[in-house]
Amino acid sequence: MKYQRVRGMQDLLPEDQPYWAHVEKACHDLAGRYGFERLEAPVLESTDLFVRGVGDATDIVSKEMYSFVDKGEDALTLRPEFTAGVMRAYIENGMGSRPQPQKLYSFGPIFRRERPAKGRYRQFYQFNAEVIGTPDALADLEIMQIAHGLYSRLGFTNLVFQLNSTGDPECKPRFIQALRDYFTPLMDRLAPLDRERLAKNPLRVLDTKERETLPLLADAPRFVDYLNAACAEHFAELRAYLDDAGIRYEINHRLVRGLDYYTKTVFELWGEGLGAQGALCGGGRYDGLIEALGGAPTPGVGFATGIERIIMSMRELGVQPAPLPRPDVFIAHLGPAAKRVAVQLAAQLRAEGTGVRVAFGARSLKAQMKDADRAGCALALLIGDDEVRDGTVTARDLAHSEQATLARADAAGWIRAHLP
RNA sequence: GUGCCUAUAGCUCAAUAGGCGGAGCGCCUGACUGUGGCUCAGGAGGUUGUGGGUUCAAGCCCCACUAGGCACCCCA
């Protein structure tokens, strides 16, 4: 085959669309219900925005970005996540002067140049929601609520968030130091990979999968014990809200997230049928991000969920989306004169709002009826020499195998009466 | 980016020990000259992912590349 999909990209075929339409609609509906407004930033941003916003030590920035230099001038990158671009838009459009907080959501493609696997694509879609401009733990709750609401609406049960707090610039360094102090004497019992992590990014040792390291984690310092008063209070407040809302969560002391900008709240939720890529959604608070990007000090909290992973999980769990609307009426014709009448009748019915499919070519009536059936049309109109001569149409109800010949002007009324 | 596995018709898969590539579904046509679903019959559709190599002979063995899957890394 000469041309094939670019690695890690996928075609969304007609049979996939009911799932997409269903999930997308749920996202828009829910966002609206919570008072989120849509903001769509461009797919392309300056490379530097992500380097600063996401962090140059992160995997996303250090090895997963689609970056290029445009005509030898601008260093550009296909967005590897939503938040940095949304924050840029918030700052650039002066949205800090609008009523705070701003509740914004986005839906669109994200690009990461990773090795593809089940549930992992190089172009994938995310639904993203952010509450910008308030430190209130209620904002954290709403972000988790909208995620929870989305999944339960889509048919997921047994939803349990993994929750942790990663402190702020004041207490986070103290915790990292405590981790170093704990693991350094145990260095020779750590897996080689974790020795590297301890040096480069000690938090990462916490979510290791290395067998040798796992037993050492039991007595490792826990972030919750190192939170300062403000962070501890925020965390307690959020937990109280979650309890009141009946949203289930587990405190996961090993949950640390990959992006540099997280402060205080971090959470994830896991799905079924995703292979090793279990995360259905992830999010957290990022109180220092906007300032780091050149805006006024502004707190924020948000989450993102992967649409492909939702759909994969839905399929795994046997959740069926509603079928997409299809044309109700099929028009079959026999002979050139009849075909011209059919085209006119189709135009007229479509103008009135009826979905109509007209047979192409000049095939046998049998073949045309077969097409009508396979297209899922409930009703068929037949026009042949007799109907052209008499100004009539033969109308057939495919589901009930009943038909009648009527004046062409009565076709619309007959259709209305026979639609399922 | 690393390791392992895989690649045959549009789809799901067969092909004994290297020896003329098949089936089911789907598609087209007919049985039924103006009537769908069910049934029956016939037909189209392949450079066996791509490029090399070994051999009298390669879908099958060897190498590279491409793509997918699984596990890492990490994440949605």
Side-chain angles (χ1 to χ4, degrees):
Chain A
M1 204 166 310
K2 188 168 182 188
Y3 295 109
Q4 50 185 332
R5 281 186 291 270
V6 171
R7 183 161 160 93
M9 312 256 161
Q10 50 175 352
D11 300 313
L12 302 174
L13 303 178
E15 56 267 36
D16 300 319
Q17 297 304 328
Y19 286 94
W20 282 81
H22 190 236
V23 174
E24 216 173 320
K25 184 173 190 313
C27 290
H28 293 306
D29 285 357
L30 218 52
R33 194 175 308 170
Y34 277 83
F36 285 75
E37 298 178 291
R38 187 169 187 174
L39 183 151
E40 288 300 335
V43 165
L44 274 176
E45 297 274 4
S46 143
T47 296
D48 191 49
L49 172 67
F50 298 116
V51 174
R52 299 257 176 122
V54 181
D56 54 8
T58 59
D59 282 14
I60 288 180
V61 170
S62 63
K63 57 185 193 188
E64 295 172 2
M65 294 205 300
Y66 277 100
S67 299
F68 62 97
V69 177
D70 178 31
K71 301 281 188 192
E73 292 177 1
D74 305 314
L76 302 180
T77 292
L78 249 24
R79 65 182 176 204
E81 59 121 46
F82 267 119
T83 301
V86 173
M87 295 311 122
R88 193 227 80 232
Y90 176 92
I91 298 166
E92 185 169 351
N93 294 291
M95 295 177 81
S97 310
R98 300 187 185 199
Q100 300 296 298
Q102 285 285 298
K103 301 169 73 169
L104 302 170
Y105 81 97
S106 306
F107 188 106
I110 295 291
F111 303 84
R112 288 185 202 168
R113 198 183 179 293
E114 296 181 88
R115 180 139 169 190
K118 189 182 191 67
R120 164 178 294 167
Y121 304 99
R122 289 182 168 190
Q123 175 178 335
F124 61 99
Y125 283 73
Q126 284 189 344
F127 168 61
N128 181 269
E130 324 262 8
V131 179
I132 307 166
T134 177
D136 193 338
L138 174 57
D140 305 49
L141 174 76
E142 283 205 358
I143 287 294
M144 293 177 74
Q145 266 182 320
I146 194 172
H148 188 273
L150 176 65
Y151 306 125
S152 55
R153 167 169 170 162
L154 291 173
F156 291 85
T157 53
N158 290 326
L159 295 167
V160 183
F161 281 100
Q162 303 292 305
L163 181 69
N164 199 10
S165 175
T166 57
D168 66 13
E170 197 243 325
C171 53
K172 196 177 211 169
R174 286 210 307 270
F175 177 67
I176 291 174
Q177 189 54 49
L179 272 184
R180 283 213 172 89
D181 293 345
Y182 173 78
F183 281 114
T184 303
L186 304 171
M187 191 72 105
D188 51 341
R189 291 165 62 190
L190 284 179
L193 187 57
D194 288 319
R195 273 175 234 161
E196 275 181 52
R197 286 180 174 131
L198 186 60
K200 286 198 326 211
N201 190 354
L203 289 178
R204 281 272 156 234
V205 180
L206 286 176
D207 65 354
T208 186
K209 290 176 191 166
E210 301 290 322
R211 280 193 176 285
E212 306 97 294
T213 309
L214 287 175
L216 306 177
L217 257 30
D219 298 321
R222 306 187 310 177
F223 223 134
V224 292
D225 299 324
Y226 287 80
L227 297 177
N228 61 28
C231 291
E233 189 184 339
H234 182 92
F235 195 45
E237 199 179 341
L238 172 60
R239 290 170 61 181
Y241 289 147
L242 287 167
D243 291 336
D244 291 347
I247 292 178
R248 293 172 61 198
Y249 62 93
E250 292 170 355
I251 306 292
N252 183 343
H253 300 292
R254 294 179 49 195
L255 179 66
V256 293
R257 292 186 42 82
L259 310 183
D260 286 357
Y261 55 62
Y262 283 115
T263 57
K264 295 179 183 161
T265 312
V266 291
F267 64 88
E268 285 184 358
L269 196 136
W270 299 68
E272 304 281 336
L274 300 174
Q277 283 69 242
L280 204 55
C281 88
R285 183 163 274 283
Y286 44 83
D287 287 346
L289 179 58
I290 292 181
E291 189 174 8
L293 293 177
T298 309
V301 57
F303 95 106
T305 187
I307 305 304
E308 287 83 354
R309 288 188 182 180
I310 290 178
I311 290 172
M312 231 178 258
S313 253
M314 284 173 69
R315 288 186 152 127
E316 176 77 11
L317 296 167
V319 178
Q320 292 283 338
L324 257 22
R326 303 176 135 201
D328 300 309
V329 177
F330 188 95
I331 304 184
H333 47 78
L334 292 164
K339 190 172 183 179
R340 295 180 65 180
V341 174
V343 173
Q344 289 180 358
L345 180 57
Q348 180 195 324
L349 291 172
R350 285 166 178 156
E352 293 167 6
T354 303
V356 178
R357 207 176 249 269
V358 185
F360 289 111
R363 304 170 67 207
S364 72
L365 182 58
K366 180 186 183 62
Q368 295 183 58
M369 292 300 287
K370 198 166 187 167
D371 284 347
D373 191 53
R374 280 185 297 198
C377 294
L379 310 175
L381 301 181
L382 164 61
I383 298 166
D385 292 339
D386 298 347
E387 287 83 356
V388 171
R389 186 193 60 223
D390 301 339
T392 57
V393 59
T394 295
R396 181 173 179 84
D397 182 331
L398 292 168
H400 301 96
S401 298
E402 294 164 359
Q403 69 182 47
T405 298
L406 43 137
R408 211 169 291 151
D410 297 335
W414 182 90
I415 290 167
R416 270 193 297 281
H418 286 79
L419 277 179

